[in-house]
């Protein structure tokens, strides 16, 4: 089921200075992860990205996910070291028509060597705050026994 | 009385849902595309009301077939970026199955069957060149047509296999407006070639629209050697296009007759082409003779195959495709009555041909008005799904690619759609 992306996270995704990666699996279950600078959150709350390489493994995997209702995952790492994971199901591969052509022209404005295989739209299904300090606090609260004893030794 | 009440076809074959459950490797949206291609799709009045001829690609008739009453869009877009290459189909009382319905729900175009909504769809968009004219005053839409990502030119609108009555392929409705022996089809003079140059130049101003240049035509048998004049026509047409394209080689999808090695060599050396498709149509020697009598008499099944293999020597493994009309091997009275037997036959022969470096482009056989086979019964959805999966596996096993007959540069072949995730 679709979930709403909070403004703080959408801003993080839409900030071009932040690093964004996309992880997907192929039809045999092999994992693949790549950086995707074009990932953004649209006004209607979907994830959008440009797939520039038609024959890339990511293009195949995202099509696979679209066809068989599987999740892909993205992670955004901000310049101040926050990290958010968004899982989602690709719903649309837009590869022709005027809306696609507008994106194609913008992709070429960025780099004249760019082609554009497709614009993908992904419906977010789960959002996990992955910033280390938040995750540490969360997991320590849930599983306080998971730690090495030396960390509890009395300090001299 | 509905078609189903007459034929009870729904009770005699697996439903869409049963097929999806039984074959988990078929993407449900691709199974839908296959089924719509098999059964056709009829537009409701509400769907027709959504057609905007300024925005959508409509034709006063199916440009390849050349008859029909209604102005209709010629294809649909699905959300996975694949296409259905069919416009509105009239509901004829002689068809065996009811077509799908294109309707409007919540202001969206949707594909419906038995009151169930399957997918949202969009009409193909009109090419920007469509309302323009060449300097000769020719409407550019009469020079070229398009799919969402390919530009199409048909250099000859007559297929001369029909010169001898009933020698054309029995499932074929292409160019059926030009079948009488004294009809030469549309004229291709110097004016036409200059119109081609101008139309291609104009089309390429639409950035991002075309991923391939497609040429196909009816077969031209004349020349010193059979098909020599057809080769000349393709070369001249390509040269007219090449005048405005700054590359020696570019993506050209050529679907043509089975040319000799000498003819293919010429095409390869003199034009931009790097891939080539020629269609055996039905992968069975005996049925080929019955279904494609002209091709059989003038070239023959074994020679057609040979020419495919010769083409691999010129273009390389995986750059030569063989088109087939999947399902026509079950046409009666001479075709296979048992679908499993038909499938085994087709896939065994496909395996042999693919081992020589030839890929397949499988069209879904649909019975169209204008075809000798128009009142035949096509096979079940299960058959078409097994065929698409089987042919995809044959290609994978033989390490072959699919380029200009793929989901994007063509879009009409379920088995090549599957290559998207290989
Ligand atoms: S060769 Fe056969 S399929 Fe092609 S146009 Fe002629 S009759 Fe039709």
């Amino acid at each position: 089921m679709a979930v709403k992306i909070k403004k703080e996270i959408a801003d993080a995704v839409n900030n071009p200075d932040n690093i964004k990666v996309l992880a997907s699996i192929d039809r045999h279950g092999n994992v693949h992860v790549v950086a995707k600078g074009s990932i953004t959150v649209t006004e209607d709350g979907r994830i959008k990205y440009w797939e520039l390489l038609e024959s890339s493994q990511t293009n195949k995997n995202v099509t696979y996910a679209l066809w068989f209702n599987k999740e892909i995952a993205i992670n955004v790492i901000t310049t101040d070291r926050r990290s958010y994971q968004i899982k989602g199901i690709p719903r649309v591969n837009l590869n022709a028509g005027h809306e696609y052509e507008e994106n194609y022209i913008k992709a070429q404005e960025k780099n004249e060597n760019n082609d554009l295989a497709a614009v993908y739209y992904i419906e977010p299904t789960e959002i996990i705050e992955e910033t280390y300090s938040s995750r540490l606090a969360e997991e320590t609260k849930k599983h306080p026994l998971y730690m090495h004893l030396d960390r509890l030794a009395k300090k001299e | 009385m509905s078609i189903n009440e007459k034929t009870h076809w729904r009770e005699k074959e697996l439903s869409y849902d049963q097929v999806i459950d039984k074959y988990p490797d078929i993407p449900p949206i691709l199974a839908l595309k296959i089924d719509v291609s098999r059964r056709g799709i009829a537009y409701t009045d509400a769907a027709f009301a959504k057609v905007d001829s300024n925005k959508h690609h409509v034709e006063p008739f199916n440009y390849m077939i050349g008859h029909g009453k209604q102005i209709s869009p010629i294809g649909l877009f699905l959300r996975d970026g694949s296409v259905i290459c069919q416009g509105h189909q009239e509901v004829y009382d002689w068809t065996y199955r009811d077509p799908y319905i294109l309707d409007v729900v919540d202001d969206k175009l949707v594909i419906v069957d038995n009151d169930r909504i399957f997918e949202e769809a969009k009409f193909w968009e009109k090419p920007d060149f469509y309302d323009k004219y060449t300097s000769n005053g020719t409407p550019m839409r009469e020079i070229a047509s398009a799919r969402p990502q390919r530009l199409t030119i048909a250099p000859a609108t007559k297929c001369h296999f029909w010169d001898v009555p009933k020698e054309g392929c029995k499932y074929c409705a292409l160019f059926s407006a030009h079948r009488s022996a004294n009809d030469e089809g549309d004229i291709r003079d110097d004016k036409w070639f200059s119109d081609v140059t101008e139309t291609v130049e104009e089309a390429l101003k639409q950035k991002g629209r075309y991923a391939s240049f497609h040429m196909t035509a009816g077969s031209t048998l004349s020349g010193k050697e059979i098909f020599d004049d057809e080769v000349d026509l393709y070369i001249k047409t390509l040269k007219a296009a090449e005048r405005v394209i700054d590359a020696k080689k570019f993506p050209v999808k050529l679907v043509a007759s089975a040319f000799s090695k000498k003819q293919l060599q010429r095409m390869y050396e003199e034009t931009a082409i790097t891939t080539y498709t020629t269609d055996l149509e039905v992968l069975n020697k005996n049925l080929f003779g019955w279904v494609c009598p002209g091709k059989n008499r003038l070239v023959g099944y074994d020679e057609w195959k040979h020419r495919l293999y010769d083409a691999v020597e010129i273009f390389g493994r995986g750059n030569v495709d063989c088109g087939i009309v999947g399902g026509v091997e079950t046409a009666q009275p001479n075709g296979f009555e048992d679908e499993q037997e038909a499938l085994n036959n087709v896939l065994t022969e496909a395996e042999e041909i693919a081992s020589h470096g030839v890929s397949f482009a499988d069209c879904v056989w649909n019975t169209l008005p204008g075809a000798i086979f128009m009142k035949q019964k096509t096979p079940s959805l299960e058959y078409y799904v097994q065929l698409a999966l089987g042919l995809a596996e044959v290609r994978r096993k033989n390490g072959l690619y699919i380029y200009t007959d793929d989901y994007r540069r063509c879009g009409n072949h379920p088995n090549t759609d599957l290559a998207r995730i290989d």
Side-chain angles (χ1 to χ4, degrees):
Chain A
M1 213 178 83
V3 296
K4 198 170 168 340
I5 301 176
K6 282 195 295 189
K7 184 171 179 311
E8 174 200 356
I9 301 175
D11 288 347
V13 176
N14 290 340
N15 183 340
D17 294 336
N18 295 336
I19 293 169
K20 291 155 254 181
V21 294
L22 187 153
S24 57
I25 54 162
D26 71 10
R27 65 194 186 95
H28 305 293
N30 301 311
V31 292
H32 187 73
V33 62
V34 285
K36 286 278 173 211
S38 67
I39 294 174
T40 53
V41 176
T42 60
E43 278 180 9
D44 64 2
R46 292 180 296 170
I47 303 285
K48 170 185 171 182
Y49 90 92
W50 285 346
E51 181 51 66
L52 297 174
L53 300 176
E54 187 168 346
S55 50
S56 69
Q57 192 60 49
T58 302
N59 193 28
K60 293 170 200 217
N61 294 2
V62 178
T63 297
Y64 169 73
L66 189 158
W67 274 353
F68 293 101
N69 228 17
K70 306 267 184 214
E71 285 181 326
I72 54 103
I74 68 164
N75 199 311
V76 52
I77 301 133
T78 64
T79 47
D80 59 357
R81 302 174 73 94
R82 284 174 294 133
S83 161
Y84 305 100
Q85 183 180 186
I86 306 174
K87 292 186 185 173
I89 298 175
R91 294 293 183 205
V92 176
N93 167 313
L94 183 75
N95 59 23
H98 280 94
E99 185 189 339
Y100 161 84
E101 287 163 19
E102 281 163 24
N103 284 275
Y104 172 89
I105 289 164
K106 281 191 196 139
Q108 289 206 328
E109 281 164 5
K110 285 207 164 218
N111 177 347
E112 62 176 5
N113 292 322
N114 280 345
D115 208 293
L116 180 64
V119 181
Y120 278 103
Y121 289 98
I122 298 152
E123 177 184 292
T125 49
E126 188 182 357
I127 297 161
I128 308 163
E129 154 109 55
E130 298 280 13
T131 305
Y132 177 64
S133 53
S134 313
R135 293 284 298 119
L136 180 64
E138 210 177 283
E139 293 302 316
T140 306
K141 200 172 157 203
K142 273 200 281 186
H143 307 288
L145 300 184
Y146 287 171
M147 63 152 58
H148 282 91
L149 290 179
D150 62 278
R151 290 176 52 211
L152 303 176
K154 282 193 177 151
K155 302 263 178 331
E156 305 257 309
Chain B
M1 192 191 262
S2 74
I3 292 170
N4 188 48
E5 279 163 351
K6 266 197 301 192
T7 64
H8 300 281
W9 70 269
R10 288 184 197 268
E11 292 119 64
K12 294 178 190 159
E13 54 192 59
L14 291 188
S15 69
Y16 170 87
D17 287 330
Q18 288 167 323
V19 172
I20 296 299
D21 282 350
K22 191 167 170 187
Y23 301 94
D25 287 340
I26 196 79
I29 199 165
L30 178 55
L32 179 70
K33 165 175 164 160
I34 294 172
D35 212 18
V36 171
S37 305
R38 176 181 81 123
R39 288 167 48 194
I41 187 157
Y43 293 13
T44 60
D45 291 344
F48 268 119
K50 282 266 172 207
V51 178
D52 176 351
S53 58
N54 290 317
K55 203 171 135 200
H56 301 129
H57 187 163
V58 298
E59 297 284 356
F61 52 82
N62 183 327
Y63 85 104
M64 293 283 265
I65 295 176
H67 58 69
K69 293 177 273 185
Q70 197 134 24
I71 291 184
S72 168
I74 59 168
L76 296 172
F77 237 131
L78 298 176
R79 67 182 169 84
D80 69 336
S82 65
V83 291
I84 295 177
C85 304
Q86 281 199 353
H88 164 71
Q89 181 169 311
E90 296 284 331
V91 182
Y92 303 103
D93 59 1
W94 43 260
T95 48
Y96 178 71
R97 300 182 183 88
D98 338 50
Y100 276 81
I101 303 294
L102 187 73
D103 205 353
V104 178
V105 174
D106 294 336
D107 205 34
K108 289 180 177 146
L109 275 181
V110 286
I111 298 173
V112 177
D113 185 42
N114 253 353
D115 296 327
R116 167 174 162 194
I117 296 174
F118 279 79
E119 279 287 339
E120 197 181 331
K122 288 188 178 139
F123 295 132
W124 292 356
E125 291 181 16
K126 182 165 82 168
D128 285 357
F129 71 82
Y130 242 46
D131 292 331
K132 307 220 162 115
Y133 290 78
T134 68
S135 57
N136 291 317
T138 314
M140 290 188 178
R141 65 191 307 154
E142 289 179 8
I143 300 298
S145 185
R147 282 189 185 163
Q149 302 178 62
R150 81 176 198 194
L151 184 64
T152 289
I153 295 201
T157 54
K158 163 90 196 242
C159 176
H160 287 272
F161 284 126
W162 293 99
D163 289 352
V164 176
K166 303 212 174 130
E167 280 216 344
C169 307
K170 289 189 168 59
Y171 54 80
C172 177
L174 290 178
F175 314 115
S176 52
H178 297 286
R179 283 199 178 159
S180 66
N182 51 2
D183 181 344
E184 279 302 308
D186 297 337
I187 292 167
R188 303 318 190 200
D189 52 11
D190 287 350
K191 176 172 162 276
W192 186 80
F193 290 107
S194 91
D195 284 345
V196 168
T197 306
E198 286 182 33
T199 304
V200 174
E201 185 176 29
E202 187 61 39
L204 297 189
K205 289 180 186 161
Q206 188 175 357
K207 288 190 179 298
R209 168 94 199 205
Y210 302 107
S212 80
F213 179 80
H214 168 231
M215 291 195 304
T216 195
S219 288
T220 302
L221 314 174
S222 53
K224 208 162 140 217
E225 186 188 321
I226 185 170
F227 307 132
D228 263 353
D229 289 349
E230 184 176 331
V231 171
D232 281 346
L233 188 56
Y234 282 126
I235 290 178
K236 276 177 91 173
T237 309
L238 255 176
K239 289 214 171 299
E242 286 169 16
R243 253 173 239 138
V244 289
I245 296 177
D246 190 15
K248 223 172 150 264
K249 295 282 180 188
F250 54 87
V252 178
K253 174 184 153 72
L254 172 68
V255 187
S257 299
F259 297 147
S260 68
K261 206 166 179 183
K262 197 170 102 203
Q263 290 166 334
L264 288 169
Q265 196 80 45
R266 238 190 102 198
M267 289 235 50
Y268 184 74
E269 281 164 10
E270 292 183 27
T271 72
I273 68 166
T274 52
T275 67
Y276 166 67
T277 303
T278 190
D279 304 342
L280 263 172
E281 321 287 11
V282 53
L283 298 185
N284 178 285
K285 190 171 173 173
N286 292 334
L287 290 176
F288 180 79
W290 176 54
V291 176
C292 307
K295 287 185 170 192
N296 188 49
R297 182 172 66 81
L298 292 160
V299 181
Y301 187 80
D302 293 333
E303 177 60 18
W304 205 286
K305 262 167 68 169
H306 252 294
R307 291 178 176 216
L308 277 161
Y309 304 158
D310 283 347
V312 173
E313 285 181 24
I314 295 168
F315 294 91
R317 281 176 67 85
N319 294 325
V320 176
D321 298 342
C322 172
I324 61 169
V325 180
V328 80
E329 52 280 349
T330 64
Q332 293 304 309
N334 296 342
F336 293 95
E337 283 180 42
D338 180 67
E339 289 190 352
Q340 211 50 50
E341 205 188 323
L343 191 70
N344 292 342
N345 181 278
V346 172
L347 293 179
T348 305
E349 180 69 344
E351 182 65 58
E352 152 63 19
I353 294 171
S355 71
H356 293 260
V358 176
S359 289
F360 286 92
D362 162 31
C363 292
V364 174
W365 175 37
N366 182 9
T367 51
L368 295 166
I372 294 173
F373 277 170
M374 74 181 201
K375 294 189 182 170
Q376 287 272 345
K377 176 185 142 210
T378 55
S380 64
L381 173 62
E382 181 180 18
Y383 181 80
Y384 285 108
V385 163
Q386 285 179 287
L387 183 62
L389 291 170
L391 288 173
E393 198 46 43
V394 165
R395 183 180 42 71
R396 278 184 209 122
K397 254 175 71 184
N398 287 280
L400 300 171
Y401 290 111
I402 196 85
Y403 284 115
T404 50
D405 280 304
D406 71 356
Y407 78 104
R408 181 171 207 150
R409 277 145 286 269
C410 180
N412 199 26
H413 311 296
N415 68 315
T416 72
D417 278 17
L418 286 166
R420 291 175 69 178
I421 60 168
D422 280 353

